[in-house]
Amino acid sequence: MYQSQIIAADRQRWAPPALFFAAILSGSFLLFLVQPMVARMALPRLGGAPAVWNSAMLVYQALLLAGYGYAHALGRLAPRGQAVVHLGVLLVAALWLPIGLMAMDLPADAQPALWVPWLLGLSIGPLFFAVSAQAPLLQRWFSAAHPGRDPYALYAASNLGSFGGLIAYPLLVEPALVLKMQSGLWTAGYVLVILLVAGCALALPRMSATAVAATASPAPDRRTIGHWVLLAFVPSGMMLATTTYITTDIVAMPLLWVIPLGLYLLSFSIAFAETRFLADLITRFAPLQILLFGGVMVGGFQGMPYFNAGVALTLLFTISVALHTTMYRKRPAPDRLTGFYLMMSLGGVLGGVFAALVAPVLFDWTWEYPLLILAAGMLAPQALFIAPLARMWQGDAQRQRILTLAVSLVIALLIVFATRDVMAFQAGQGRGAVFAAIVALGLVALGRRLPFAIVLAGALVIFGGFQAATISWQGDARTRSYFGIYTINDDTRVRQLSHGTTVHGMQLIGSPARERTPTTYYVPGSGIGRAMRAADSLFGPQARIGVVGLGAGTLACYAHAGQAWRFYEIDPAIVRIARDTGQFSFLRRCLPGAEIAIGDARINLAAATPHALDLLALDAFSSDSVPMHLMTREAFASYDRALAPGGLLLVHISNRFLDLEPVVAAAADAGQWRAVKLTYLPGAKAKEGETVSAWVALSRSPASIDRLKALGGPWQPLDRRPGFTPWTDDYSTILPLLK
């Protein structure tokens, strides 16, 4: 006994718990640092289509699942055999260092679904696979090296490291380092991880695989495994659905996607922590929060976007902590933990596939959001808080069925009341009384899953679900693609196209003359309006004009006979709305048979004939997000290649959240462009459909800018920001640009 204690003490001296903590935290930090880093590397080569990001995320999830599967398979070996194999895998994967993309020429029409898995798999697949196995594998080693101690608390360290990597990239790494230096930093981190893993391996006991198998705990049944998968599925899907929801229907603020993912990762740190107070407290009150926040979140509060975003993020965090805590409570013995994490990873992958790939195909709106809220309400642990209400449900099954039916009838009556006049209800008429009734019913039903689910479903229908469904029932009023959700709103005089919360086109309804009138950011007095009207004077009657970003097709109404126009549009759904459905008639009335190139504009322009355009308008923003790869020095060089000598480039920089003027000014100086800006402010006598806009006109020929200014308009020099570094394919950050 004394000798075994000496051996155990010696092992702990070589690898104390802090070493395992550091190894797991470092590996997870690297995983969440490499994801945005490699995606940034891929942007110039594959373009900025959301399909690229979706495909990249699926590659990461698939590699993570494979790594967890590998860690689970290693459990058949003795502990020291596992260490030898894993260190060998880490060393072989090091052959792919320094991290970066393979040199591969991709076709102009490369499909992300095919090329992203191939390119990323060959470029970082072995490295990501090796590091992704760290968390479950090292927890098993910890259990062997420190018998009697709970290894699951180390998963909190894993997710703390993931959160650190996620936050560090946009806030510290990307603003400070070019991609080559980022790759070097990651390489140094990988070497450190190998050393830490080797240190942990020194503590592993000499045990045979037979001895390990002889002490194995009973295997979990299928029902338990299925429950693990479901508990992981809902928070993962909810994280992506919340990101889509708040950036589509609430506020399209840059970097907002980081917050849902960060809260999702932090939920693991709380749910798996050794100190249980916070996890248990959040879980106990989770059903009430899901009812109070989830029910009203579908409709939101008009005019309060940031409050809505805060409520949605609080709801995501509560659901994630509650379901991950439930999963923690159902965890198996330490010798089964790799299988447990494998099923958790499988659930996470399935949730991601559902929210990122399946939902945009099945639904025309973010219907996955209320569906996942309902699933969370049914999965979260429930307990009755108020004793008199608890006694109501005591008794035989017949009594409980009667109470359930009564709850259902009251919910049905509330739905009828709230949907009689949806507009009046959304404006506040009777809304407070219905909300109070929902809360009261929720307290009555709390602790009984079916009645509580009925109350929650009723709240989801009443507070936004029915209103969203009425738009879906209108046929083409709403369209969803992988690029976002487009809604068309009509009144008697105006038809408007919105992408999330941002207007992307507006057409005046009535006479043919009204329908041909450019509106919003494109009115005649705007920068682009003045440039388009001057095209004949600047380039002759056969001017060649390109437009990046189709929208509703508004700019087509500046076209003249003899001119050659070409639109570049990444989303086929927008082409359908502008050209095929008849909802907007700009193209049909002003430019029938317009040439439209579908795909990423930068890639298409790079493949086009040089100097084929006299004027190029860049208006490719998706909602208020910025396609960084279209604003780099290399991108401006491709625009220079596409433009004829003396050609004009017009860049739309209107944005609610970012000041893009320094980006364009820095690119202009770096590429020796002459640049001026025009900010259009509708006056007191503004015409219908006019909005504020800011455009920058650039040319490599100073004479072209002088001629444009001579034709009229309040063109002004650009404001330079001292010390601002131009964006390149190797470096860009939006942090200095936040308003």
Side-chain angles (χ1 to χ4, degrees):
M1 173 66 74
Y2 180 71
Q3 185 178 6
S4 63
Q5 290 176 344
I6 293 177
I7 295 174
D10 188 57
R11 287 203 307 267
Q12 294 187 26
R13 180 174 60 84
W14 277 103
L19 182 60
F20 285 88
F21 180 93
I24 290 177
L25 187 145
S26 300
S28 298
F29 182 90
L30 288 184
L31 281 184
F32 274 80
L33 198 65
V34 76
Q35 293 184 24
M37 183 192 307
V38 173
R40 274 281 292 108
M41 294 176 181
L43 269 180
R45 203 177 305 184
L46 287 169
V52 172
W53 297 96
N54 291 340
S55 299
M57 185 58 67
L58 287 179
V59 171
Y60 299 143
Q61 289 181 319
L63 288 171
L64 184 66
L65 181 62
Y68 278 25
Y70 152 74
H72 180 60
L74 278 186
R76 300 174 182 176
L77 302 178
R80 292 202 169 187
Q82 297 175 26
V84 171
V85 172
H86 187 57
L87 285 169
V89 168
L90 287 170
L91 291 173
V92 170
L95 297 175
W96 273 257
L97 294 173
I99 203 164
L101 293 183
M102 291 188 63
M104 182 186 299
D105 293 327
L106 304 182
D109 58 349
Q111 295 297 316
L114 298 176
W115 285 99
V116 171
W118 179 256
L119 182 62
L120 296 189
L122 292 178
S123 300
I124 66 165
L127 289 165
F128 198 98
F129 170 82
V131 177
S132 66
Q134 296 287 100
L137 190 59
L138 265 65
Q139 286 179 68
R140 170 172 270 181
W141 292 4
F142 178 85
S143 181
H146 299 271
R149 298 196 61 171
D150 183 10
Y152 285 99
L154 290 177
Y155 199 63
S158 171
N159 285 278
L160 189 61
S162 299
F163 178 76
L166 175 70
I167 297 300
Y169 189 79
L171 296 184
L172 299 176
V173 177
E174 188 180 39
L177 303 174
V178 299
L179 285 174
K180 185 176 181 180
M181 295 177 67
Q182 294 175 25
S183 178
L185 175 68
W186 202 92
T187 299
Y190 187 81
V191 173
L192 175 63
V193 165
I194 293 179
L195 295 176
L196 291 172
V197 171
C200 294
L202 292 175
L204 293 175
R206 296 182 180 276
M207 297 176 61
S208 67
T210 304
V212 172
T215 59
S217 62
D221 56 34
R222 292 183 179 180
R223 182 183 180 87
T224 300
I225 292 173
H227 199 189
W228 291 343
V229 172
L230 273 177
L231 290 169
F233 175 96
V234 173
S236 173
M238 191 71 189
M239 180 266 295
L240 292 176
T242 300
T243 304
T244 301
Y245 175 71
I246 61 178
T247 57
T248 298
D249 285 350
I250 297 181
V251 54
M253 185 176 179
L255 286 180
L256 201 57
W257 64 271
V258 173
I259 302 176
L261 182 54
L263 293 175
Y264 171 77
L265 295 173
L266 280 179
S267 73
F268 282 106
S269 297
I270 293 174
F272 283 72
E274 284 187 296
T275 304
R276 306 304 308 155
F277 173 76
L278 187 56
D280 293 340
L281 179 66
I282 294 174
T283 302
R284 180 171 177 80
F285 290 96
L288 276 180
Q289 282 191 271
I290 293 171
L291 177 63
L292 296 179
F293 291 172
V296 300
M297 204 59 253
V298 177
F301 296 91
Q302 299 298 321
M304 303 174 65
Y306 295 102
F307 176 78
N308 289 339
V311 172
L313 292 170
T314 302
L315 179 64
L316 167 65
F317 185 66
T318 298
I319 288 173
S320 299
V321 171
L323 298 193
H324 292 153
T325 297
T326 305
M327 190 186 308
Y328 175 83
R329 291 172 180 173
K330 294 181 175 294
R331 69 194 186 281
D335 63 295
R336 298 283 182 182
L337 66 79
T338 53
F340 171 72
Y341 288 127
L342 179 61
M343 292 301 101
M344 181 192 298
S345 178
L346 176 62
V349 170
L350 294 176
V353 168
F354 169 70
L357 298 182
V358 177
V361 174
L362 291 182
F363 307 134
D364 69 342
W365 184 65
T366 52
W367 288 108
E368 66 274 17
Y369 189 68
L371 289 175
L372 288 166
I373 290 174
L374 182 60
M378 297 177 68
L379 287 171
Q382 297 195 22
L384 287 163
F385 294 147
I386 304 173
L389 296 178
R391 287 195 290 270
M392 288 177 55
W393 293 94
Q394 294 174 358
D396 56 17
Q398 182 69 17
R399 177 187 178 89
Q400 295 183 17
R401 283 194 291 268
I402 292 174
L403 285 172
T404 300
L405 179 60
V407 169
S408 303
L409 289 175
V410 175
I411 287 294
L413 291 174
L414 291 174
I415 291 174
V416 171
F417 172 80
T419 56
R420 286 183 310 168
D421 188 341
V422 175
M423 298 303 296
F425 182 78
Q426 293 297 328
Q429 184 175 330
R431 189 179 175 103
V434 172
F435 181 72
I438 289 288
V439 173
L441 283 173
L443 289 173
V444 170
L446 194 62
R448 295 291 182 267
R449 291 194 184 278
L450 179 57
F452 183 83
I454 293 171
V455 175
L456 179 57
L460 293 170
V461 171
I462 291 170
F463 295 102
F466 182 81
Q467 184 183 23
T470 57
I471 300 177
S472 297
W473 294 335
Q474 295 176 23
D476 288 334
R478 187 161 55 206
T479 300
R480 184 174 184 178
S481 72
Y482 287 111
F483 299 82
I485 297 173
Y486 308 103
T487 304
I488 298 172
N489 299 308
D490 282 345
D491 61 28
T492 56
R493 296 181 57 81
V494 171
R495 178 171 294 126
Q496 182 173 288
L497 171 65
S498 298
H499 185 183
T501 57
T502 303
V503 175
H504 271 226
M506 178 188 296
Q507 186 166 30
L508 306 180
I509 299 174
S511 66
R514 280 175 59 84
E515 294 185 7
R516 285 195 294 266
T517 302
T519 57
T520 62
Y521 317 108
Y522 318 106
V523 296
S526 67
I528 188 64
R530 293 178 182 276
M532 288 295 186
R533 289 189 297 163
D536 283 354
S537 300
L538 294 172
F539 308 113
Q542 295 182 332
R544 301 162 300 171
I545 296 175
V547 177
V548 177
L550 176 60
T554 311
L555 286 176
C557 286
Y558 286 108
H560 294 167
Q563 292 180 341
W565 280 63
R566 182 182 179 89
F567 288 93
Y568 299 89
E569 174 55 51
I570 198 170
D571 191 354
I574 281 290
V575 177
R576 177 176 166 272
I577 291 171
R579 184 185 64 188
D580 303 330
T581 64
Q583 293 164 302
F584 292 91
S585 60
F586 289 120
L587 290 180
R588 175 168 54 83
R589 291 190 178 278
C590 303
L591 197 61
E595 183 180 0
I596 302 174
I598 298 177
D600 185 84
R602 180 171 167 182
I603 295 175
N604 279 324
L605 285 170
T609 304
H611 311 306
L613 298 172
D614 297 308
L615 190 155
L616 178 62
L618 182 61
D619 182 36
F621 296 163
S622 173
S623 191
D624 274 295
S625 62
V626 179
M628 287 185 174
H629 73 296
L630 296 182
M631 302 287 281
T632 64
R633 288 178 56 179
E634 294 84 352
F636 276 78
S638 69
Y639 306 146
D640 182 33
R641 175 185 177 277
L643 287 168
L648 274 179
L649 173 64
L650 273 292
V651 182
H652 189 193
I653 61 170
S654 305
N655 196 285
R656 290 176 293 176
F657 306 107
L658 299 178
D659 178 13
L660 296 174
E661 190 172 340
V663 179
V664 180
D669 292 343
Q672 298 181 336
W673 298 74
R674 173 85 178 278
V676 291
K677 67 177 179 180
L678 193 153
T679 301
Y680 180 75
L681 302 171
K685 297 182 180 180
K687 296 180 180 179
E688 190 175 15
E690 292 188 335
T691 58
V692 175
S693 66
W695 289 84
V696 177
L698 305 96
S699 180
R700 294 292 300 276
S701 168
S704 294
I705 295 295
D706 291 338
R707 290 167 61 195
L708 176 65
K709 293 172 63 177
L711 293 172
W715 295 98
Q716 300 292 328
L718 291 185
D719 292 331
R720 267 71 179 176
R721 182 175 296 182
F724 184 84
T725 303
W727 283 4
T728 67
D729 288 347
D730 201 40
Y731 172 84
S732 62
T733 175
I734 66 171
L735 290 180
L737 310 175
L738 290 172
K739 293 183 179 178

